[in-house]
Amino acid sequence: MNKAVLVTGGAGYIGSHTTVELLEAGHQVVILDNLCNANREVFNRIEQITGNAPIFIQGDIRNSLTLDLVMQLYPIHTVIHFAGLKAVGESGQQPLNYYENNVHGTIVLCQAMQRAGIKRLIFSSSATVYGEEAPVPYIETLPRGKTSNPYGTSKSMVEQVLTDLYKADPEWSIVLLRYFNPIGAHDSGLIGEDPRGIPNNLMPYIAQVAIGRLQQLSIFGSDYPTQDGTCERDYLHVVDLAIGHLKSMQALDSAGIHIYNLGTGQPVSVLSMVKTFEEVTQQPLPYRITDRRAGDLAAFWADASKAENELGWKAERTLKQMIEDTWRWQSNNPNGYER
Ligand code: NAD
Ligand code: UDP
């Protein structure tokens, strides 16, 4: 077997799209996922799209024996680390679970990498690490700020752990990718976002209202200091984000901590997302305005010029494509991967 990429959390939303891009670029892929937030049907779909199957190991990143075995069995040269818990609200109720999965899990993973002599890592971080008071647009030269929930704090803590790891052993090359708001789906309509229970995020909520699984969208607040009073975010297509991971692999060729924002640089309000969704899909989208959601920031978006200048990466897909692809995925799979 040729050298392989280990993708933790590769059965999930962003991991599955990245796996497709990796396979299509000719990489061997080994996925480690405990399926706590994924469905194994995704592997059939990946094979349908690429004509190729990743190797799948069902297991947990917190289990060092599993990790040692995977790293002994397969010639892994790089780890792309998506595995973790990501629900902001839930993280406030289950802080220990979040720190255990996201922080402890990453430490166990890095210890296994160290034992195996693998020192190339790409980590899924988030724009949330800029904190509550950073000026917009967010740029990588800003310091990490004060996070408002255990999920965000776990991402910031992992960034610190990885920075210290590199300081102690300068042979490591580590990429910290700070994602903005990924939405959309593969244009085949075969893979997409399939949240368990009621979605927390805007786009899957909208898609489930449009398909009739949910009655109406609640827009959390219309009195923010933004153009139309609703919050603004930087939504990017998940396939652009997946491609960002491939492009960032080149940064691993030099040791160091390499930080990149991945976003479009364009803020979009909740209300304009709703209107554009209605226009593009011709589906009515009932909504009401409710109170603000605790912890939401009014507006943030990326300065993504560093990724463009250094990696040649730029988000290419338009908001219309993001919505069309979400809608294709949702209408072909009204119940997600559950048939
Ligand atoms: P996801 O929940 O769809 O994927 C995460 C995957 O990791 C799931 O398949 C889950 O089963 C697996 N997993 C969780 N804990 C595990 C463990 N202990 N061991 C093994 N597998 C485990 O989430 P996603 O949206 O694809 O996000 C991927 C990564 O990107 C996460 O780290 C997330 O925090 C980060 N991120 C996501 C967003 C977003 O908006 N989706 C934004 C910024 C950062
Ligand atoms: N949002 C909303 N209704 C929902 C879900 C989200 O109005 O049901 C808003 C939310 O207040 C935020 C934006 O949509 O301004 C994006 O929210 P999401 O949770 O998707 O991303 P994040 O807040 O993490 O950037």
Side-chain angles (χ1 to χ4, degrees), residues 12-14 33-34 36-38 60-61 82 86 101 151 155:
Y13 173 47
I14 306 169
D33 196 302
N34 66 4
C36 71
N37 196 34
D60 199 295
I61 55 160
F82 295 102
K86 64 163 184 178
N101 264 278
Y151 167 74
K155 291 290 173 194

Side-chain angles (χ1 to χ4, degrees), residues 199 201-212 214 216-217 219 235 270 272-275 277-278 281 283-285 323 326-327 330:
N201 296 109
L202 180 64
M203 197 50 163
Y205 205 106
I206 287 180
Q208 291 195 16
V209 171
I211 202 78
L214 294 168
Q216 68 173 355
L217 172 73
I219 295 184
Y235 298 94
V270 179
S272 60
M273 181 64 91
V274 169
K275 299 287 172 219
F277 191 96
E278 289 185 320
T281 64
Q283 299 296 314
L285 204 78
I323 292 172
T326 300
W327 185 234
Q330 186 69 68

Side-chain angles (χ1 to χ4, degrees), residues 55-76:
I55 293 163
F56 171 55
I57 291 123
Q58 184 167 356
D60 199 295
I61 55 160
R62 292 165 294 175
N63 186 329
S64 52
L65 290 179
T66 304
L67 290 167
D68 284 345
L69 200 63
V70 169
M71 292 180 195
Q72 277 159 24
L73 275 176
Y74 303 103
I76 309 292

Side-chain angles (χ1 to χ4, degrees), residues 8-16 32-39 59-62 81-86 100-102 105 123-128 151 155 177-182 193-194 201 241:
T8 74
Y13 173 47
I14 306 169
S16 58
L32 177 69
D33 196 302
N34 66 4
L35 300 184
C36 71
N37 196 34
N39 186 312
D60 199 295
I61 55 160
R62 292 165 294 175
H81 176 34
F82 295 102
L85 304 179
K86 64 163 184 178
E100 205 218 339
N101 264 278
N102 296 2
F123 173 63
S124 298
S125 190
S126 164
T128 192
Y151 167 74
K155 291 290 173 194
L177 295 180
R178 294 179 177 164
Y179 309 160
F180 283 68
N181 288 57
E193 190 168 11
D194 182 21
N201 296 109
L241 178 58

Side-chain angles (χ1 to χ4, degrees), residues 91-331:
S91 76
Q93 291 136 23
Q94 304 175 15
L96 298 180
N97 212 9
Y98 272 68
Y99 291 124
E100 205 218 339
N101 264 278
N102 296 2
V103 184
H104 169 70
T106 303
I107 293 171
V108 175
L109 173 68
C110 290
Q111 286 170 329
M113 290 174 69
Q114 211 162 33
R115 282 193 295 278
I118 303 163
K119 296 185 179 177
R120 292 161 53 96
L121 175 69
I122 298 176
F123 173 63
S124 298
S125 190
S126 164
T128 192
V129 302
Y130 288 104
E132 294 172 322
E133 275 145 28
V136 285
Y138 294 167
I139 184 159
E140 295 89 342
T141 45
L142 289 167
R144 274 181 277 120
K146 184 176 166 295
T147 44
S148 57
N149 55 74
Y151 167 74
T153 308
S154 76
K155 291 290 173 194
S156 192
M157 287 166 78
V158 170
E159 286 204 1
Q160 188 61 51
V161 167
L162 297 176
T163 305
D164 290 341
L165 174 59
Y166 166 68
K167 271 191 213 148
D169 179 356
E171 283 182 5
W172 278 81
S173 38
I174 298 174
V175 171
L176 308 177
L177 295 180
R178 294 179 177 164
Y179 309 160
F180 283 68
N181 288 57
I183 60 170
H186 192 264
D187 65 6
S188 62
L190 286 166
I191 59 172
E193 190 168 11
D194 182 21
R196 295 211 166 148
I198 309 272
N200 300 303
N201 296 109
L202 180 64
M203 197 50 163
Y205 205 106
I206 287 180
Q208 291 195 16
V209 171
I211 202 78
R213 274 171 74 177
L214 294 168
Q215 275 201 325
Q216 68 173 355
L217 172 73
S218 297
I219 295 184
F220 300 141
S222 61
D223 58 350
Y224 284 96
T226 56
Q227 280 211 335
D228 64 22
T230 65
C231 293
E232 294 173 349
R233 294 288 182 274
D234 180 339
Y235 298 94
L236 82 157
H237 198 295
V238 66
V239 172
D240 280 326
L241 178 58
I243 292 168
H245 290 75
L246 271 76
K247 296 244 173 176
S248 75
M249 282 170 78
Q250 62 190 280
L252 293 175
D253 291 339
S254 52
I257 291 279
H258 310 281
I259 304 179
Y260 296 102
N261 286 340
L262 296 183
T264 62
Q266 301 296 324
V268 172
S269 76
V270 179
L271 213 47
S272 60
M273 181 64 91
V274 169
K275 299 287 172 219
T276 315
F277 191 96
E278 289 185 320
E279 274 164 33
V280 170
T281 64
Q282 295 294 305
Q283 299 296 314
L285 204 78
Y287 70 85
R288 67 192 174 117
I289 308 280
T290 63
D291 288 346
R292 291 179 175 197
R293 180 170 71 177
D296 272 343
L297 299 182
F300 61 85
W301 62 95
D303 178 325
S305 50
K306 186 178 176 205
E308 184 172 2
N309 295 336
E310 293 187 9
L311 305 174
W313 177 87
K314 195 169 188 293
E316 307 268 343
R317 291 160 179 77
T318 61
L319 186 61
K320 181 165 175 274
Q321 282 171 292
M322 301 180 213
I323 292 172
E324 279 170 353
D325 291 338
T326 300
W327 185 234
R328 186 178 308 107
W329 154 252
Q330 186 69 68
S331 19

